[in-house]
Amino acid sequence: EKDGYDWFMRKEIFEQPRAVADALLGRHTASGQLQLDEVRLSDQELRDIDKIIIVGCGTAAYAALVAKYAIEHWCRIPCEVELSHEFRYRDPILTRNTLVVAMSQSGETADTLMALRHARTQGSKVLAICNTNGSTIPRESDAVIYTHAGPEIGVASTKGFLTQLVACYLLGLYLAQVRGTKFGDEITSVVHEIAAMPAHLERVLAGADDIYALARDFVDARTVLFLGRHAGYPVALEGALKLKELAYLHAEGFAAGELKHGPIALIEEGLPVFCVVPPRGRDQLHDKMVSAIQEIRARGAHTIVLAEEDDDEVAPYADRLIRLPKVPTLLQPVVATVPLQLFACELATLLGHDVDQPRNLAKSVTVE
Ligand code: F6R
């Protein structure tokens, strides 16, 4: 049952360290070699792939966006993300060497099922990333990576999402290993970073009370915006989706670079804006994000900044600061999403909504 939690969703948020550990379990050797036997495609077939298209809906499509960034970077294979319900109707270019990845927690989402059926009629291989053993989507796919999150009962996806991210990383690293686009030690080092995630997540969850306090302070908000860049962009989209579906609140996620192309006009005094700041690295991502935060703060926004714990550069521009463990940029969504889940869960609770059964929504959408 709910183990003393008020909602399945809250319980599932707190189960994430365990779920992420389970998603990784048995899938790499001590030295960091990946073992993904369930990907029943031969090494030759994996080497022949010249394009990947990941299809999914909602939260699954956001996991797919993170996967695109990781897979293109590690494997140098062009990777597209498409909403399942748009895919079939635009006559996508599919060949025998296209790998279509069907991303679905439930394994029963009709839109995604139809997309995978279409891909198979065109001769493409389909790999499912799924949480539900024996569900329709993996049964109809050529191969499946199960996410091993355990049953997800809350309608809003939480541990389903985090374990989808892990499965995507594993797929990307496995392709890199087979195709030789990354050296063994590079793969090992990322595997070790993923293995450290459960401990990082425990620390993020230990800060839940601060997030709950934040939810109390913004209980009257009418609109909440979320900004991110790179792998933080899907995190922003996910933060906004959680608020829409649970708190019935208008929320939008943007790529921070897009702000000046329009959305900055929305910024007004006191508007809460969550900003997911990329780790400091060799590229300019971090600094660009800090300037975006300065811009919106100068226009009166209330900045709620998620940043690496020792990031002193952004701190002066944060009205509220949520400290994240230090992790590589591509893995940051794993830790950065959790405070946004907690915020949405708590805000919806304060507003008196049914967090596990939001109005108008079903756990698996089995109609197109
Ligand atoms: C959001 C949410 C939905 C699902 C979407 C796809 O919290 O749960 O957006 O992610 O309906 O569901 P699956 O992954 O089961 O195909």
Side-chain angles (χ1 to χ4, degrees):
E1 266 290 305
K2 291 189 219 155
D3 291 346
Y5 289 99
D6 51 350
W7 305 113
F8 280 108
M9 182 191 181
R10 206 184 304 267
K11 170 173 175 257
E12 288 161 4
I13 291 172
F14 280 87
E15 279 169 1
Q16 291 180 114
R18 180 59 193 273
V20 162
D22 286 347
L24 195 59
L25 194 72
R27 287 175 162 165
H28 64 92
T29 63
S31 62
Q33 276 275 110
L34 289 159
Q35 296 173 306
L36 276 183
D37 305 337
E38 57 244 87
V39 178
R40 289 179 314 232
L41 302 174
S42 68
D43 285 3
Q44 191 55 49
E45 284 171 321
L46 293 175
R47 278 192 284 266
D48 287 343
I49 295 169
D50 59 12
K51 182 166 73 171
I52 297 177
I53 305 179
I54 314 179
V55 295
C57 308
T59 291
Y62 301 153
L65 269 177
V66 178
K68 171 188 164 78
Y69 285 54
I71 291 175
E72 289 197 341
H73 181 68
W74 292 333
C75 314
R76 314 309 295 158
I77 308 171
C79 181
E80 297 170 19
V81 174
E82 182 120 25
L83 295 168
S84 311
H85 33 88
E86 287 294 317
F87 178 70
R88 191 160 54 120
Y89 301 100
R90 67 168 182 87
D91 190 17
I93 300 166
L94 295 163
T95 71
R96 317 183 36 245
N97 295 334
T98 310
L99 177 70
V100 172
V101 178
M103 184 83 73
S104 177
Q105 186 285 129
S106 64
E108 300 295 347
T109 299
D111 289 317
T112 304
L113 180 61
M114 295 308 162
L116 92 79
R117 284 184 181 159
H118 178 73
R120 294 197 74 189
T121 64
Q122 304 298 299
S124 301
K125 292 269 184 294
V126 175
L127 176 115
I129 293 181
C130 183
N131 192 42
T132 314
N133 280 356
S135 56
T136 312
I137 287 171
R139 273 195 280 116
E140 294 203 15
S141 299
D142 296 290
V144 52
I145 301 178
Y146 281 111
T147 50
H148 299 318
E152 190 178 65
I153 294 167
V155 161
S157 189
T158 52
K159 61 179 184 170
F161 177 68
L162 258 57
T163 57
Q164 278 167 349
L165 294 178
V166 174
C168 291
Y169 298 139
L170 292 174
L171 175 63
L173 293 169
Y174 184 65
L175 286 168
Q177 178 176 292
V178 172
R179 296 163 66 102
T181 49
K182 281 267 166 224
F183 295 116
D185 49 348
E186 293 176 273
I187 294 175
T188 304
S189 95
V190 183
V191 169
H192 288 153
E193 296 277 6
I194 301 171
M197 285 296 153
H200 292 321
L201 287 168
E202 293 291 2
R203 287 178 45 224
V204 173
L205 290 166
D209 284 342
D210 293 338
I211 308 293
Y212 297 157
L214 194 65
R216 286 195 292 279
D217 292 346
F218 288 96
V219 76
D220 295 323
R222 303 290 307 277
T223 289
V224 181
L225 300 187
F226 295 79
L227 299 181
R229 289 191 81 106
H230 194 268
Y233 168 42
V235 174
L237 297 173
E238 173 64 0
L241 178 60
K242 286 286 159 294
L243 267 192
K244 288 178 220 179
E245 64 181 334
L246 300 172
Y248 316 150
L249 195 62
H250 174 242
E252 268 192 86
F254 296 108
E258 195 61 12
L259 258 193
K260 56 184 175 299
H261 301 286
I264 197 161
L266 292 170
I267 304 295
E268 56 188 21
E269 198 62 37
L271 181 77
V273 184
F274 281 84
C275 307
V276 183
V277 181
R280 284 158 301 169
R282 273 160 298 180
D283 49 34
Q284 295 176 348
L285 276 177
H286 171 272
D287 297 354
K288 293 241 162 90
M289 188 70 201
V290 176
S291 348
I293 295 172
Q294 285 174 267
E295 290 280 330
I296 58 166
R297 197 158 182 268
R299 289 164 176 77
H302 191 97
T303 56
I304 304 161
V305 173
L306 293 87
E308 278 186 313
E309 48 207 349
D310 59 354
D311 186 343
D312 305 326
E313 287 157 54
V314 75
Y317 311 108
D319 292 305
R320 301 295 187 92
L321 193 53
I322 299 170
R323 300 286 190 182
L324 299 175
K326 279 177 88 71
V327 298
T329 305
L330 283 168
L331 305 188
Q332 199 197 35
V334 177
V335 289
T337 303
V338 176
L340 308 185
Q341 297 169 340
L342 288 166
F343 182 76
C345 180
E346 184 66 8
L347 194 70
T349 304
L350 294 169
L351 292 171
H353 300 326
D354 184 335
V355 169
D356 286 336
Q357 296 283 335
R359 68 184 183 201
N360 309 339
L361 291 175
K363 182 65 185 163
S364 48
V365 184
T366 53
V367 288
E368 271 187 277

PDB file of all heavy atoms in Angstrom, residues 56-61 103-109 112 137 152 154-158 164 238 241-242 245 362-365, ligand 1:
ATOM      1  N   GLY A  56       7.123   8.679 -28.258  1.00  0.00           N
ATOM      2  CA  GLY A  56       6.504   8.577 -26.940  1.00  0.00           C
ATOM      3  C   GLY A  56       5.554   9.746 -26.765  1.00  0.00           C
ATOM      4  O   GLY A  56       5.465  10.621 -27.641  1.00  0.00           O
ATOM      5  N   CYS A  57       4.833   9.767 -25.649  1.00  0.00           N
ATOM      6  CA  CYS A  57       3.901  10.858 -25.353  1.00  0.00           C
ATOM      7  C   CYS A  57       4.192  11.392 -23.951  1.00  0.00           C
ATOM      8  O   CYS A  57       4.643  10.644 -23.086  1.00  0.00           O
ATOM      9  CB  CYS A  57       2.462  10.363 -25.347  1.00  0.00           C
ATOM     10  SG  CYS A  57       2.002   9.462 -26.815  1.00  0.00           S
ATOM     11  N   GLY A  58       3.873  12.640 -23.754  1.00  0.00           N
ATOM     12  CA  GLY A  58       3.952  13.228 -22.420  1.00  0.00           C
ATOM     13  C   GLY A  58       5.341  13.090 -21.829  1.00  0.00           C
ATOM     14  O   GLY A  58       6.360  13.356 -22.479  1.00  0.00           O
ATOM     15  N   THR A  59       5.371  12.628 -20.598  1.00  0.00           N
ATOM     16  CA  THR A  59       6.634  12.474 -19.878  1.00  0.00           C
ATOM     17  C   THR A  59       7.601  11.565 -20.629  1.00  0.00           C
ATOM     18  O   THR A  59       8.811  11.811 -20.637  1.00  0.00           O
ATOM     19  CB  THR A  59       6.314  11.915 -18.466  1.00  0.00           C
ATOM     20  OG1 THR A  59       5.651  12.951 -17.736  1.00  0.00           O
ATOM     21  CG2 THR A  59       7.554  11.503 -17.727  1.00  0.00           C
ATOM     22  N   ALA A  60       7.098  10.527 -21.258  1.00  0.00           N
ATOM     23  CA  ALA A  60       7.975   9.606 -21.994  1.00  0.00           C
ATOM     24  C   ALA A  60       8.684  10.339 -23.131  1.00  0.00           C
ATOM     25  O   ALA A  60       9.851  10.072 -23.431  1.00  0.00           O
ATOM     26  CB  ALA A  60       7.167   8.426 -22.530  1.00  0.00           C
ATOM     27  N   ALA A  61       7.992  11.298 -23.751  1.00  0.00           N
ATOM     28  CA  ALA A  61       8.615  12.062 -24.833  1.00  0.00           C
ATOM     29  C   ALA A  61       9.716  12.977 -24.285  1.00  0.00           C
ATOM     30  O   ALA A  61      10.684  13.283 -24.978  1.00  0.00           O
ATOM     31  CB  ALA A  61       7.561  12.878 -25.585  1.00  0.00           C
ATOM     32  N   MET A 103       8.969   4.481 -26.392  1.00  0.00           N
ATOM     33  CA  MET A 103       9.157   4.754 -24.967  1.00  0.00           C
ATOM     34  C   MET A 103       7.800   4.771 -24.289  1.00  0.00           C
ATOM     35  O   MET A 103       6.949   5.612 -24.614  1.00  0.00           O
ATOM     36  CB  MET A 103       9.798   6.144 -24.863  1.00  0.00           C
ATOM     37  CG  MET A 103      10.161   6.578 -23.489  1.00  0.00           C
ATOM     38  SD  MET A 103      11.744   5.924 -23.013  1.00  0.00           S
ATOM     39  CE  MET A 103      12.813   6.925 -24.009  1.00  0.00           C
ATOM     40  N   SER A 104       7.554   3.850 -23.364  1.00  0.00           N
ATOM     41  CA  SER A 104       6.253   3.833 -22.696  1.00  0.00           C
ATOM     42  C   SER A 104       6.342   3.132 -21.349  1.00  0.00           C
ATOM     43  O   SER A 104       6.718   1.961 -21.279  1.00  0.00           O
ATOM     44  CB  SER A 104       5.230   3.110 -23.569  1.00  0.00           C
ATOM     45  OG  SER A 104       3.992   3.024 -22.893  1.00  0.00           O
ATOM     46  N   GLN A 105       6.011   3.860 -20.313  1.00  0.00           N
ATOM     47  CA  GLN A 105       5.988   3.266 -18.973  1.00  0.00           C
ATOM     48  C   GLN A 105       4.987   2.130 -18.934  1.00  0.00           C
ATOM     49  O   GLN A 105       5.298   1.018 -18.512  1.00  0.00           O
ATOM     50  CB  GLN A 105       5.652   4.366 -17.957  1.00  0.00           C
ATOM     51  CG  GLN A 105       5.726   3.973 -16.488  1.00  0.00           C
ATOM     52  CD  GLN A 105       4.575   3.121 -15.998  1.00  0.00           C
ATOM     53  OE1 GLN A 105       4.796   2.065 -15.390  1.00  0.00           O
ATOM     54  NE2 GLN A 105       3.358   3.515 -16.283  1.00  0.00           N
ATOM     55  N   SER A 106       3.768   2.405 -19.365  1.00  0.00           N
ATOM     56  CA  SER A 106       2.687   1.420 -19.229  1.00  0.00           C
ATOM     57  C   SER A 106       2.783   0.301 -20.257  1.00  0.00           C
ATOM     58  O   SER A 106       2.322  -0.814 -20.024  1.00  0.00           O
ATOM     59  CB  SER A 106       1.333   2.113 -19.401  1.00  0.00           C
ATOM     60  OG  SER A 106       1.220   2.633 -20.719  1.00  0.00           O
ATOM     61  N   GLY A 107       3.342   0.626 -21.416  1.00  0.00           N
ATOM     62  CA  GLY A 107       3.377  -0.351 -22.499  1.00  0.00           C
ATOM     63  C   GLY A 107       2.042  -0.521 -23.193  1.00  0.00           C
ATOM     64  O   GLY A 107       1.868  -1.424 -24.018  1.00  0.00           O
ATOM     65  N   GLU A 108       1.083   0.335 -22.870  1.00  0.00           N
ATOM     66  CA  GLU A 108      -0.260   0.206 -23.446  1.00  0.00           C
ATOM     67  C   GLU A 108      -0.743   1.476 -24.148  1.00  0.00           C
ATOM     68  O   GLU A 108      -1.895   1.529 -24.577  1.00  0.00           O
ATOM     69  CB  GLU A 108      -1.270  -0.166 -22.342  1.00  0.00           C
ATOM     70  CG  GLU A 108      -0.974  -1.477 -21.627  1.00  0.00           C
ATOM     71  CD  GLU A 108      -1.068  -2.720 -22.530  1.00  0.00           C
ATOM     72  OE1 GLU A 108      -1.588  -2.623 -23.657  1.00  0.00           O
ATOM     73  OE2 GLU A 108      -0.593  -3.782 -22.079  1.00  0.00           O
ATOM     74  N   THR A 109       0.081   2.483 -24.224  1.00  0.00           N
ATOM     75  CA  THR A 109      -0.350   3.740 -24.828  1.00  0.00           C
ATOM     76  C   THR A 109      -0.647   3.535 -26.319  1.00  0.00           C
ATOM     77  O   THR A 109       0.251   3.176 -27.095  1.00  0.00           O
ATOM     78  CB  THR A 109       0.745   4.812 -24.624  1.00  0.00           C
ATOM     79  OG1 THR A 109       0.908   4.982 -23.215  1.00  0.00           O
ATOM     80  CG2 THR A 109       0.378   6.130 -25.270  1.00  0.00           C
ATOM     81  N   THR A 112       1.440   5.282 -29.094  1.00  0.00           N
ATOM     82  CA  THR A 112       2.797   4.758 -29.247  1.00  0.00           C
ATOM     83  C   THR A 112       2.760   3.375 -29.911  1.00  0.00           C
ATOM     84  O   THR A 112       3.605   3.039 -30.744  1.00  0.00           O
ATOM     85  CB  THR A 112       3.491   4.724 -27.864  1.00  0.00           C
ATOM     86  OG1 THR A 112       3.434   6.049 -27.318  1.00  0.00           O
ATOM     87  CG2 THR A 112       4.935   4.284 -27.961  1.00  0.00           C
ATOM     88  N   ILE A 137       3.183  -3.145 -25.931  1.00  0.00           N
ATOM     89  CA  ILE A 137       4.259  -2.507 -26.696  1.00  0.00           C
ATOM     90  C   ILE A 137       5.521  -3.383 -26.737  1.00  0.00           C
ATOM     91  O   ILE A 137       6.027  -3.665 -27.829  1.00  0.00           O
ATOM     92  CB  ILE A 137       4.499  -1.055 -26.205  1.00  0.00           C
ATOM     93  CG1 ILE A 137       3.334  -0.190 -26.695  1.00  0.00           C
ATOM     94  CG2 ILE A 137       5.848  -0.505 -26.659  1.00  0.00           C
ATOM     95  CD1 ILE A 137       3.282   1.221 -26.139  1.00  0.00           C
ATOM     96  N   GLU A 152       3.937   1.519 -11.025  1.00  0.00           N
ATOM     97  CA  GLU A 152       3.725   2.952 -10.798  1.00  0.00           C
ATOM     98  C   GLU A 152       2.217   3.168 -10.770  1.00  0.00           C
ATOM     99  O   GLU A 152       1.535   2.956 -11.769  1.00  0.00           O
ATOM    100  CB  GLU A 152       4.388   3.754 -11.922  1.00  0.00           C
ATOM    101  CG  GLU A 152       4.433   5.246 -11.649  1.00  0.00           C
ATOM    102  CD  GLU A 152       5.134   6.007 -12.769  1.00  0.00           C
ATOM    103  OE1 GLU A 152       4.616   6.013 -13.910  1.00  0.00           O
ATOM    104  OE2 GLU A 152       6.198   6.587 -12.499  1.00  0.00           O
ATOM    105  N   GLY A 154       0.480   6.053  -9.030  1.00  0.00           N
ATOM    106  CA  GLY A 154       0.106   7.458  -9.233  1.00  0.00           C
ATOM    107  C   GLY A 154       0.005   7.720 -10.732  1.00  0.00           C
ATOM    108  O   GLY A 154       0.833   7.229 -11.501  1.00  0.00           O
ATOM    109  N   VAL A 155      -1.013   8.479 -11.122  1.00  0.00           N
ATOM    110  CA  VAL A 155      -1.197   8.734 -12.556  1.00  0.00           C
ATOM    111  C   VAL A 155      -0.011   9.507 -13.133  1.00  0.00           C
ATOM    112  O   VAL A 155       0.426   9.262 -14.258  1.00  0.00           O
ATOM    113  CB  VAL A 155      -2.547   9.453 -12.810  1.00  0.00           C
ATOM    114  CG1 VAL A 155      -2.556  10.123 -14.170  1.00  0.00           C
ATOM    115  CG2 VAL A 155      -3.689   8.449 -12.708  1.00  0.00           C
ATOM    116  N   ALA A 156       0.534  10.424 -12.357  1.00  0.00           N
ATOM    117  CA  ALA A 156       1.677  11.195 -12.857  1.00  0.00           C
ATOM    118  C   ALA A 156       2.936  10.352 -12.774  1.00  0.00           C
ATOM    119  O   ALA A 156       3.251   9.765 -11.744  1.00  0.00           O
ATOM    120  CB  ALA A 156       1.849  12.458 -12.024  1.00  0.00           C
ATOM    121  N   SER A 157       3.668  10.306 -13.858  1.00  0.00           N
ATOM    122  CA  SER A 157       4.864   9.477 -13.903  1.00  0.00           C
ATOM    123  C   SER A 157       6.006  10.130 -13.121  1.00  0.00           C
ATOM    124  O   SER A 157       6.293  11.314 -13.284  1.00  0.00           O
ATOM    125  CB  SER A 157       5.274   9.275 -15.361  1.00  0.00           C
ATOM    126  OG  SER A 157       6.301   8.325 -15.425  1.00  0.00           O
ATOM    127  N   THR A 158       6.645   9.359 -12.273  1.00  0.00           N
ATOM    128  CA  THR A 158       7.788   9.863 -11.488  1.00  0.00           C
ATOM    129  C   THR A 158       8.955   8.887 -11.637  1.00  0.00           C
ATOM    130  O   THR A 158       9.863   9.114 -12.432  1.00  0.00           O
ATOM    131  CB  THR A 158       7.417  10.006  -9.997  1.00  0.00           C
ATOM    132  OG1 THR A 158       6.859   8.772  -9.530  1.00  0.00           O
ATOM    133  CG2 THR A 158       6.430  11.132  -9.798  1.00  0.00           C
ATOM    134  N   GLN A 164      13.292   5.567 -17.054  1.00  0.00           N
ATOM    135  CA  GLN A 164      13.390   5.705 -18.523  1.00  0.00           C
ATOM    136  C   GLN A 164      14.709   6.396 -18.881  1.00  0.00           C
ATOM    137  O   GLN A 164      15.383   6.021 -19.843  1.00  0.00           O
ATOM    138  CB  GLN A 164      12.224   6.547 -19.074  1.00  0.00           C
ATOM    139  CG  GLN A 164      10.946   5.751 -19.274  1.00  0.00           C
ATOM    140  CD  GLN A 164       9.725   6.618 -19.524  1.00  0.00           C
ATOM    141  OE1 GLN A 164       9.754   7.846 -19.355  1.00  0.00           O
ATOM    142  NE2 GLN A 164       8.625   6.003 -19.913  1.00  0.00           N
ATOM    143  N   GLU A 238       9.123  18.900 -18.207  1.00  0.00           N
ATOM    144  CA  GLU A 238       8.555  17.930 -17.266  1.00  0.00           C
ATOM    145  C   GLU A 238       8.035  18.636 -16.006  1.00  0.00           C
ATOM    146  O   GLU A 238       6.951  18.308 -15.503  1.00  0.00           O
ATOM    147  CB  GLU A 238       9.619  16.877 -16.928  1.00  0.00           C
ATOM    148  CG  GLU A 238       9.264  15.878 -15.836  1.00  0.00           C
ATOM    149  CD  GLU A 238       8.088  14.959 -16.145  1.00  0.00           C
ATOM    150  OE1 GLU A 238       7.499  15.071 -17.231  1.00  0.00           O
ATOM    151  OE2 GLU A 238       7.744  14.151 -15.270  1.00  0.00           O
ATOM    152  N   LEU A 241       4.746  20.159 -16.951  1.00  0.00           N
ATOM    153  CA  LEU A 241       3.682  19.164 -17.148  1.00  0.00           C
ATOM    154  C   LEU A 241       3.149  18.675 -15.797  1.00  0.00           C
ATOM    155  O   LEU A 241       1.929  18.543 -15.603  1.00  0.00           O
ATOM    156  CB  LEU A 241       4.206  17.980 -17.976  1.00  0.00           C
ATOM    157  CG  LEU A 241       3.202  16.848 -18.216  1.00  0.00           C
ATOM    158  CD1 LEU A 241       1.960  17.333 -18.961  1.00  0.00           C
ATOM    159  CD2 LEU A 241       3.854  15.707 -19.007  1.00  0.00           C
ATOM    160  N   LYS A 242       4.041  18.431 -14.856  1.00  0.00           N
ATOM    161  CA  LYS A 242       3.619  17.949 -13.540  1.00  0.00           C
ATOM    162  C   LYS A 242       2.677  18.964 -12.883  1.00  0.00           C
ATOM    163  O   LYS A 242       1.688  18.587 -12.259  1.00  0.00           O
ATOM    164  CB  LYS A 242       4.835  17.691 -12.645  1.00  0.00           C
ATOM    165  CG  LYS A 242       5.613  16.444 -13.002  1.00  0.00           C
ATOM    166  CD  LYS A 242       4.880  15.191 -12.582  1.00  0.00           C
ATOM    167  CE  LYS A 242       5.317  13.934 -13.307  1.00  0.00           C
ATOM    168  NZ  LYS A 242       5.061  13.840 -14.734  1.00  0.00           N
ATOM    169  N   GLU A 245      -0.820  18.949 -14.701  1.00  0.00           N
ATOM    170  CA  GLU A 245      -1.694  17.798 -14.494  1.00  0.00           C
ATOM    171  C   GLU A 245      -2.110  17.624 -13.046  1.00  0.00           C
ATOM    172  O   GLU A 245      -3.198  17.115 -12.784  1.00  0.00           O
ATOM    173  CB  GLU A 245      -1.084  16.512 -15.064  1.00  0.00           C
ATOM    174  CG  GLU A 245       0.181  16.049 -14.409  1.00  0.00           C
ATOM    175  CD  GLU A 245       0.731  14.769 -15.056  1.00  0.00           C
ATOM    176  OE1 GLU A 245      -0.037  13.990 -15.626  1.00  0.00           O
ATOM    177  OE2 GLU A 245       1.949  14.567 -14.980  1.00  0.00           O
ATOM    178  N   ALA A 362      -6.096   9.443 -17.193  1.00  0.00           N
ATOM    179  CA  ALA A 362      -6.051   8.013 -16.905  1.00  0.00           C
ATOM    180  C   ALA A 362      -4.594   7.574 -16.916  1.00  0.00           C
ATOM    181  O   ALA A 362      -3.760   8.201 -17.557  1.00  0.00           O
ATOM    182  CB  ALA A 362      -6.817   7.233 -17.975  1.00  0.00           C
ATOM    183  N   LYS A 363      -4.294   6.530 -16.188  1.00  0.00           N
ATOM    184  CA  LYS A 363      -2.901   6.085 -16.093  1.00  0.00           C
ATOM    185  C   LYS A 363      -2.374   5.605 -17.431  1.00  0.00           C
ATOM    186  O   LYS A 363      -1.251   5.902 -17.808  1.00  0.00           O
ATOM    187  CB  LYS A 363      -2.771   4.990 -15.035  1.00  0.00           C
ATOM    188  CG  LYS A 363      -1.342   4.491 -14.821  1.00  0.00           C
ATOM    189  CD  LYS A 363      -0.444   5.579 -14.245  1.00  0.00           C
ATOM    190  CE  LYS A 363       1.011   5.153 -14.131  1.00  0.00           C
ATOM    191  NZ  LYS A 363       1.901   6.318 -13.959  1.00  0.00           N
ATOM    192  N   SER A 364      -3.167   4.818 -18.147  1.00  0.00           N
ATOM    193  CA  SER A 364      -2.669   4.521 -19.494  1.00  0.00           C
ATOM    194  C   SER A 364      -3.765   4.873 -20.501  1.00  0.00           C
ATOM    195  O   SER A 364      -4.942   4.574 -20.294  1.00  0.00           O
ATOM    196  CB  SER A 364      -2.165   3.090 -19.651  1.00  0.00           C
ATOM    197  OG  SER A 364      -3.084   2.180 -19.130  1.00  0.00           O
ATOM    198  N   VAL A 365      -3.304   5.534 -21.541  1.00  0.00           N
ATOM    199  CA  VAL A 365      -4.244   6.088 -22.509  1.00  0.00           C
ATOM    200  C   VAL A 365      -4.338   5.112 -23.665  1.00  0.00           C
ATOM    201  O   VAL A 365      -3.513   5.092 -24.572  1.00  0.00           O
ATOM    202  CB  VAL A 365      -3.779   7.489 -22.982  1.00  0.00           C
ATOM    203  CG1 VAL A 365      -4.801   8.109 -23.919  1.00  0.00           C
ATOM    204  CG2 VAL A 365      -3.557   8.400 -21.773  1.00  0.00           C
TER     205      VAL A 365
HETATM  206  C1  F6R B   1       2.667  12.488 -17.113  1.00  0.00           C
HETATM  207  C2  F6R B   1       2.211  11.199 -17.609  1.00  0.00           C
HETATM  208  C3  F6R B   1       1.866  11.048 -19.055  1.00  0.00           C
HETATM  209  C4  F6R B   1       2.516   9.779 -19.613  1.00  0.00           C
HETATM  210  C5  F6R B   1       2.076   9.532 -21.057  1.00  0.00           C
HETATM  211  C6  F6R B   1       2.741   8.320 -21.659  1.00  0.00           C
HETATM  212  O1  F6R B   1       2.941  12.436 -15.753  1.00  0.00           O
HETATM  213  O2  F6R B   1       2.155  10.264 -16.861  1.00  0.00           O
HETATM  214  O3  F6R B   1       2.268  12.166 -19.784  1.00  0.00           O
HETATM  215  O4  F6R B   1       3.896   9.915 -19.525  1.00  0.00           O
HETATM  216  O5  F6R B   1       0.691   9.351 -21.109  1.00  0.00           O
HETATM  217  O6  F6R B   1       2.484   7.179 -20.909  1.00  0.00           O
HETATM  218  P1  F6R B   1       3.303   5.857 -21.129  1.00  0.00           P
HETATM  219  O7  F6R B   1       4.715   6.110 -20.729  1.00  0.00           O
HETATM  220  O8  F6R B   1       2.645   4.828 -20.251  1.00  0.00           O
HETATM  221  O9  F6R B   1       3.212   5.508 -22.594  1.00  0.00           O
END
